[in-house]
């Protein structure tokens, strides 16, 4: 069985122009949160995946030794990061195989994130995702939302395709890239 995590990122740059862009290590802009330990986060409440998404957020905090912390907001109004759940990624994105999507907004002058939105889907074109696949998709999209592009390393959580279904973890490579970005030692 072939599972594809083709993730499309929609970038909103500077003047409010949208670009559709598949992320690679090369074209991922070097953008960071100014306060990565206070990312104001709104997760769609009362959904079967609400708690799972919080566990994915917590996993990033644990793996980065609290270098990344998501602060939950009760309303979307003040949130910098919003997470919503859908059955399938809307066809308007022309991404039949997508299981997750992250839209990033940042300012080009200082390369700082302004906000981000993650969409997590229940189904790919191959059918319903397993719990582990959804969790992997969440970790992957959160990786984009904190500034990581795709990796060519199959062990990276940012690897865009997986041939065989398995639970994927945040890798040392992912953490090293974040350490550089946020100047952790
Ligand atoms: Zn991706």
């Amino acid at each position: 069985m072939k599972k594809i995590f083709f993730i499309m990122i929609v970038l909103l740059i500077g003047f409010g122009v949208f670009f559709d862009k598949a992320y690679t290590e090369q074209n991922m802009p070097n953008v960071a949160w100014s306060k990565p330990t206070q990312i104001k986060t709104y997760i769609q409440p009362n959904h079967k995946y609400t708690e799972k998404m919080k566990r994915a957020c917590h996993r990033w905090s644990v793996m980065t030794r609290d270098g990344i912390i998501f602060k939950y907001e009760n309303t979307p109004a003040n949130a910098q990061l919003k997470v919503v759940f859908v059955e399938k990624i809307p066809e308007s994105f022309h991404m039949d195989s997508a299981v997750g999507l992250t839209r990033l907004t940042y300012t080009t002058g200082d390369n700082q994130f302004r906000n981000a939105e993650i969409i997590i889907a229940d189904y790919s074109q191959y059918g319903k995702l397993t719990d582990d696949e959804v969790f992997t998709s969440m970790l992957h999209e959160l990786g984009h939302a904190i500034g990581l592009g795709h990796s060519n390393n199959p062990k990276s959580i940012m690897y865009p395709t997986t041939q065989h279904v398995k639970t994927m973890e945040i890798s040392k490579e992912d953490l090293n890239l974040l350490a550089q970005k946020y100047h952790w030692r």
Side-chain angles (χ1 to χ4, degrees):
M1 182 164 60
K2 194 177 178 189
K3 283 288 173 195
I4 301 179
F5 295 101
F6 275 141
I7 312 298
M8 188 66 120
I9 307 300
V10 184
L11 291 179
L12 175 62
I13 302 180
F15 301 94
V17 181
F18 277 94
F19 294 85
D20 284 6
K21 216 175 206 178
Y23 266 165
T24 66
E25 277 176 292
Q26 287 72 36
N27 68 15
M28 176 75 187
N30 187 19
V31 179
W33 290 100
S34 60
K35 294 177 181 172
T37 57
Q38 300 175 41
I39 303 172
K40 294 179 186 172
T41 302
Y42 173 80
I43 299 174
Q44 181 185 331
N46 306 317
H47 188 276
K48 62 181 174 179
Y49 289 151
T50 303
E51 289 308 311
K52 187 189 286 288
M53 190 73 209
K54 287 183 178 175
R55 284 201 298 279
C57 288
H58 184 65
R59 183 71 63 88
W60 274 109
S61 294
V62 169
M63 297 298 281
T64 60
R65 299 180 185 207
D66 285 341
I68 300 285
I69 298 177
F70 301 91
K71 298 277 188 198
Y72 299 124
E73 296 278 330
N74 291 325
T75 64
N78 294 324
Q80 297 168 298
L81 169 63
K82 292 174 200 165
V83 181
V84 296
F85 307 108
V86 297
E87 199 162 88
K88 281 187 173 176
I89 298 297
E91 279 183 24
S92 56
F93 287 106
H94 304 294
M95 296 292 295
D96 286 349
S97 54
V99 296
L101 193 141
T102 303
R103 175 164 46 209
L104 302 171
T105 309
Y106 62 94
T107 46
T108 47
D110 53 6
N111 278 1
Q112 304 254 308
F113 280 123
R114 291 173 57 83
N115 53 63
E117 183 173 356
I118 291 175
I119 302 174
I120 297 292
D122 226 358
Y123 284 80
S124 74
Q125 63 181 10
Y126 305 108
K128 193 172 187 320
L129 301 177
T130 67
D131 269 8
D132 284 349
E133 288 169 328
V134 171
F135 191 72
T136 299
S137 167
M138 289 171 171
L139 290 178
H140 179 100
E141 297 307 325
L142 282 168
H144 284 314
I146 55 180
L148 293 176
H150 283 148
S151 169
N152 294 324
N153 178 357
K155 288 185 174 168
S156 166
I157 194 71
M158 301 315 294
Y159 188 68
T161 65
T162 57
Q163 289 290 327
H164 301 286
V165 178
K166 60 177 180 180
T167 306
M168 291 183 61
E169 219 350 321
I170 296 162
S171 74
K172 189 142 193 153
E173 173 192 304
D174 303 320
L175 296 171
N176 286 341
L177 285 170
L178 281 178
Q180 286 172 32
K181 179 183 292 292
Y182 290 102
H183 310 293
W184 299 328
R185 304 194 38 189

